[in-house]
Amino acid sequence: MSETLVITGAAVNGADATDIVVEDGVVAEIGAGLSRSGARVIDAAGLVALPGLVDLHTHLREPGYEASETVLTGTRAAAAGGFAAVFAMPNTSPVADTAGVVEQELALGEAAGYATVQPIGAVTVGQKGERLAELGAMASSRAKVRVFSDDGFCVWDPLIMRRALEYVKAFDGVIAQHAQDPRLTEGAQMNEGSVSAELGLAGWPAVAEESIIARDVLLAEHVGSRLHVCHLSTAGSVDLIRWAKKRGVAVTAEVTPHHLLLTDELVRGYDARYKVNPPLRREEDVLAVREGLADGTIDIVATDHAPHPSEHKACEWQAAANGMVGLESALRVVHQSMVQTGLLGWADVARVMSAAPAGIGRLDGFGEIAVGRPAHITLYDASAEGVFTEADLHGRSRNSPYLGRDLPGRVQWTLHGGVVTVADGVLVEGLDDGGRDRK
């Protein structure tokens, strides 16, 4: 049982300051001048209260790759970044392609206690793209899987993609596609463009992403099913999603924080922290995805948190692994790239980082601060400033592209179902060993 909390002076979604009472893990009252006898008081004057953030695209690595991350360390990182729920991608070992594996991931998240872990199931057996995985069994399991993805691998076979889209309609599921034509990206090392030509690195063309998106929105339209496009990164992809939505296709799309801020110019230093899939794109693409997020073409921000041991990054560029950690920095990067630029307000941030991802993933109880709803709440100091350092990282890996970079803001408090996971900017220890009411 969580403690009774009174949050005073919080600006919910950036609006006027108000008080919030939390009892038994639920928002009990919202208004002015609230109090409860014996309650713990959280002074939130000057802080923005957002519904606990939800990440639709997280790699927790467990089971199988615990040297990179575990469910415990990954959810600690999530809580530090203001997240109350994460969707765990299936590229584990064994692959999350059966009811048994997704239920194991769910149990690990429940034991950790820092955030809700909602497993994503693989579309195909072993993510090999050859035959459909046990989609129905995962959907009816205790994990209640509704999002399926072979992320890391494109579901390249159009017939298998069509069958997957048809299959998930029965339980209101969604196929989340990693849009990458494998033939067009063989040996690719970075975005195809002037920088790749100067550096002599094999280019990753935008059309490799865009051609798969074009095919899949037509397939989704044909079968009348839900499609979600993972980590969209090019201007052309934004145009395709905008076109598909105008046609009434049930398509949603995500953009990562790093694609909202960083460009392929950073590759010039051959620092493998900037090697990612899809690659960092041109400045023109960054501006286009910002515009797409601002006008609603792109539905959500998702981190694509991809931890790797140091030896997988501290090597020559061609041998380095793709991926960046991003849970702890996501809200601060969105603040810098979208809020400080005037493209989004805090209510918009609540939508694209909480309500919309929860809706796409059919995750109940998230996305809103309202009476009677579970108390998943993030209190954010938008006036803070600081350099992002390794001290800000709470996962097992250190491959952040933001180390040494000035970023605005700071997560001061995170509540997960009324349980305080971050207090005064400090991660609460011991939630995984039963210490859920520790101050």
Side-chain angles (χ1 to χ4, degrees):
M1 190 71 68
S2 62
E3 60 192 321
T4 298
L5 304 169
V6 177
I7 302 169
T8 62
V12 177
N13 295 342
D16 293 337
T18 191
D19 300 340
I20 304 167
V21 176
V22 175
E23 294 177 326
D24 297 331
V26 174
V27 176
E29 192 175 0
I30 300 174
L34 302 181
S35 64
R36 288 292 190 277
S37 177
R40 180 181 182 182
V41 177
I42 297 174
D43 182 3
L47 304 182
V48 177
L50 299 170
L53 306 184
V54 177
D55 187 20
L56 198 68
H57 193 144
T58 304
H59 298 272
L60 293 179
R61 305 303 193 200
E62 187 179 12
Y65 303 106
E66 288 85 356
S68 300
E69 195 77 282
T70 67
V71 171
L72 174 58
T73 62
T75 53
R76 282 168 59 89
F83 288 89
V86 297
F87 283 73
M89 278 294 176
N91 53 342
T92 51
S93 182
V95 170
D97 57 4
T98 66
V101 179
V102 296
E103 287 181 345
Q104 177 189 5
E105 292 180 330
L106 182 72
L108 288 168
E110 291 170 342
Y114 284 90
T116 294
V117 174
Q118 176 57 50
I120 292 175
V123 177
T124 65
V125 174
Q127 295 178 293
K128 295 181 179 179
E130 297 171 353
R131 56 193 176 94
L132 289 182
E134 300 176 6
L135 308 184
M138 288 187 279
S140 60
S141 73
R142 196 171 76 87
K144 297 180 181 178
V145 177
R146 291 296 180 270
V147 183
F148 299 86
S149 180
D150 275 359
D151 186 63
F153 302 95
C154 180
V155 181
W156 190 42
D157 186 319
L159 181 59
I160 290 178
M161 186 63 180
R162 172 183 174 168
R163 296 295 181 237
L165 287 165
E166 290 174 329
Y167 199 107
V168 299
K169 286 178 63 178
F171 41 81
D172 192 28
V174 62
I175 302 299
Q177 176 69 294
H178 174 104
Q180 175 193 349
D181 188 305
R183 294 297 301 278
L184 290 174
T185 55
E186 288 181 6
Q189 293 293 319
M190 65 169 296
N191 179 59
E192 182 179 278
S194 59
V195 178
S196 66
E198 290 179 36
L199 298 179
L201 293 175
W204 189 304
V207 70
E209 175 175 300
E210 296 157 5
S211 60
I212 296 296
I213 293 174
R215 181 202 74 177
D216 286 352
V217 295
L218 292 175
L219 286 174
E221 181 181 46
H222 181 68
V223 303
S225 189
R226 290 201 297 142
L227 169 71
H228 179 72
V229 178
C230 296
H231 42 50
L232 178 153
S233 68
T234 76
S237 295
V238 177
D239 289 339
L240 285 165
I241 298 298
R242 189 175 287 121
W243 171 83
K245 286 188 170 185
K246 287 181 179 179
R247 287 174 65 92
V249 180
V251 59
T252 54
E254 72 189 33
V255 64
T256 70
H258 47 272
H259 286 114
L260 288 170
L261 185 63
L262 309 178
T263 74
D264 59 357
E265 290 289 336
L266 290 165
V267 179
R268 292 185 184 278
Y270 295 102
D271 185 339
R273 289 182 301 142
Y274 301 116
K275 187 176 182 183
V276 67
N277 177 353
L280 300 179
R281 302 291 189 180
R282 308 165 303 159
E283 179 70 20
E284 300 96 308
D285 294 303
V286 169
L287 296 176
V289 297
R290 287 183 184 182
E291 180 184 353
L293 183 63
D295 69 18
T297 299
I298 299 173
D299 300 83
I300 67 170
V301 174
T303 72
D304 194 9
H305 176 80
H308 291 289
S310 59
E311 60 268 24
H312 292 181
K313 285 291 192 177
C315 56
E316 63 272 19
W317 179 271
Q318 287 86 341
N322 286 306
M324 305 167 168
V325 293
L327 286 166
E328 298 98 331
S329 53
L331 181 54
R332 296 173 69 178
V333 173
V334 171
H335 182 184
Q336 184 175 82
S337 61
M338 300 299 296
V339 179
Q340 287 189 335
T341 56
L343 293 170
L344 292 182
W346 289 113
D348 300 311
V349 173
R351 171 175 51 82
V352 302
M353 296 191 75
S354 185
I360 293 168
R362 301 300 192 252
L363 187 63
D364 293 334
F366 290 82
E368 183 182 14
I369 300 174
V371 173
R373 302 275 288 179
H376 306 303
I377 300 171
T378 300
L379 299 177
Y380 183 70
D381 184 357
S383 66
E385 297 179 354
V387 176
F388 193 82
T389 70
E390 286 201 8
D392 294 304
L393 298 174
H394 296 273
R396 185 159 282 185
S397 297
R398 314 252 91 42
N399 54 306
S400 168
Y402 306 109
L403 294 175
R405 180 183 286 263
D406 288 324
L407 291 177
R410 183 172 182 81
V411 172
Q412 288 295 102
W413 296 80
T414 306
L415 275 63
H416 174 235
V419 175
V420 176
T421 57
V422 174
D424 280 325
V426 178
L427 190 73
V428 175
E429 298 294 340
L431 296 184
D432 58 312
D433 63 9
R436 291 193 169 226
D437 288 325
R438 294 188 182 184
K439 309 298 188 289

